[in-house]
Amino acid sequence: MPGMAGSTNVEVLSHITLGTGDVSDIEVEQDEDRPYAYVTRRMGGFDVVSLEDPENAEVIFSWTVENVELHQGGGSDTKYFKHDGRYY
């Protein structure tokens, strides 16, 4: 419905402003011991959002490409993986 935020079957617990039109993908950890969401930026970079306290989500790490004007495109699909006990 016009003027409504979200969806009638989804409860919004927190809101973080990350920029207008800059977010291209969101990946949420599936491991309950790692309450994080990874947000890919269209202009090159990403943010790590802690969901440990869902009602007070917060950005705990941000990275952006230096000299973004030299890079074409940007990321569009977030990926993370675990190798030898470390997450990348």
Side-chain angles (χ1 to χ4, degrees):
M1 300 284 295
M4 288 184 58
S7 175
T8 57
N9 64 344
V10 175
E11 181 182 356
V12 176
L13 297 178
S14 219
H15 179 82
I16 298 174
T17 303
L18 294 175
T20 305
D22 191 32
V23 172
S24 64
D25 191 33
I26 300 171
E27 182 76 26
V28 178
E29 285 268 8
Q30 299 301 304
D31 183 342
E32 291 181 7
D33 293 331
R34 296 182 52 81
Y36 307 114
Y38 306 98
V39 181
T40 304
R41 300 303 199 120
R42 193 168 272 122
M43 295 304 293
F46 69 93
D47 298 301
V48 179
V49 178
S50 172
L51 304 173
E52 186 171 16
D53 179 0
E55 294 181 0
N56 296 296
E58 64 179 321
V59 175
I60 59 171
F61 182 80
S62 290
W63 178 80
T64 53
V65 173
E66 292 181 16
N67 301 317
V68 71
E69 64 277 358
L70 300 177
H71 299 273
Q72 299 295 316
S76 63
D77 192 16
T78 304
K79 299 291 183 205
Y80 69 93
F81 61 93
K82 183 178 180 180
H83 178 69
D84 287 337
R86 293 194 65 177
Y87 288 85
Y88 299 90

